[in-house]
């Protein structure tokens, strides 16, 4: 699911989701949330913007608030792929910090993280990595 291709509105902060266990905002999040509920594994790719997640990723995280109350993601496995223009360890440190509450309060089981240093569109062509190995790492972590 490419979030940028979806209609995801901001969280209103109304907390109605705590009583109805669902968000009443009418957009693509309801189908995304159903997909997440029915998945064995969530892979979340996030770029690093100024030592933080970008706005769309934060909006997505905020809109997952119904899962805090209904606990439908509790125990679900999540694997993160981080991308940043700086050093990989810095990107990973900051984005781990930014996703900590998402994992903790939704009860997600973080099974792994892979971080890449990529800034420009052409950097992926220069990257000396085997994406098949990444898929194997993810697969090995879900077993």
């Amino acid at each position: 699911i490419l979030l940028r291709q979806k209609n995801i509105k901001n969280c209103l902060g109304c907390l109605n989701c705590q009583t109805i266990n669902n968000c009443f905002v009418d957009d693509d999040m309801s189908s995304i949330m159903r997909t997440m509920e029915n998945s064995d594994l969530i892979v979340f790719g996030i770029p690093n913007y100024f030592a933080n997640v970008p706005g769309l990723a934060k909006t997505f995280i905020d809109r997952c608030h119904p899962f805090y109350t209904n606990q439908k993601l509790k125990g679900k496995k999540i694997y993160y792929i981080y991308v940043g223009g700086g050093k990989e360890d810095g990107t990973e440190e900051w984005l781990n910090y930014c996703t900590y509450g998402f994992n903790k309060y939704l009860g997600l089981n973080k099974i792994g993280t892979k971080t890449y240093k990529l800034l420009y569109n052409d950097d992926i062509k220069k990257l000396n990595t085997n994406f098949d190995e990444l898929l194997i790492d993810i697969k090995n972590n879900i077993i």
Side-chain angles (χ1 to χ4, degrees), residues 88-143:
E88 291 174 358
D89 58 344
T91 292
E92 187 165 341
E93 177 183 356
W94 285 110
L95 294 185
N96 279 337
Y97 178 78
C98 293
T99 57
Y100 171 80
F102 184 64
N103 298 328
K104 178 181 177 181
Y105 297 110
L106 301 188
L108 294 167
N109 177 15
K110 180 178 165 185
I111 61 168
T113 303
K114 183 64 179 170
T115 306
Y116 296 98
K117 180 181 179 180
L118 301 168
L119 182 60
Y120 301 104
N121 290 338
D122 288 343
D123 287 350
I124 192 87
K125 296 174 188 172
K126 302 173 199 169
L127 188 63
N128 187 21
T129 194
N130 183 340
F131 287 104
D132 290 333
E133 290 175 6
L134 173 62
L135 295 175
I136 290 168
D137 183 44
I138 293 171
K139 183 178 178 183
N140 288 338
N141 277 299
I142 62 172
I143 296 173

Side-chain angles (χ1 to χ4, degrees), residues 4 8 11 16 19 21 25 28 30 43 59 66 72-73 75-76 80 82 94 110 114-115 119 122 127 131 138-139:
R4 69 174 182 233
I8 302 174
C11 176
N16 283 327
T19 56
N21 289 329
V25 176
D28 292 332
S30 55
V43 178
T59 297
K72 290 183 178 180
L73 295 187
K76 293 266 184 191
Y80 289 98
Y82 298 145
W94 285 110
K110 180 178 165 185
K114 183 64 179 170
T115 306
L119 182 60
D122 288 343
L127 188 63
F131 287 104
I138 293 171
K139 183 178 178 183

Side-chain angles (χ1 to χ4, degrees), residues 6-23:
K6 301 295 180 182
N7 175 26
I8 302 174
K9 298 175 184 171
N10 289 322
C11 176
L12 301 175
C14 65
L15 299 180
N16 283 327
C17 58
Q18 290 188 351
T19 56
I20 63 173
N21 289 329
N22 202 359
C23 182

Side-chain angles (χ1 to χ4, degrees), residues 15-75:
L15 299 180
N16 283 327
C17 58
Q18 290 188 351
T19 56
I20 63 173
N21 289 329
N22 202 359
C23 182
F24 73 89
V25 176
D26 186 23
D27 62 6
D28 292 332
M29 272 304 290
S30 55
S31 66
I32 294 170
M33 291 172 75
R34 276 192 304 278
T35 299
M36 292 170 67
E37 290 174 24
N38 294 319
S39 298
D40 296 324
L41 169 69
I42 300 165
V43 178
F44 194 180
I46 308 174
N48 179 6
Y49 287 11
F50 299 101
N52 210 325
V53 298
L56 182 55
K58 179 65 169 108
T59 297
F60 168 79
I61 289 170
D62 291 346
R63 289 293 306 286
C64 285
H65 196 274
F67 291 129
Y68 174 69
T69 304
N70 68 29
Q71 292 293 292
K72 290 183 178 180
L73 295 187
K74 187 173 185 175

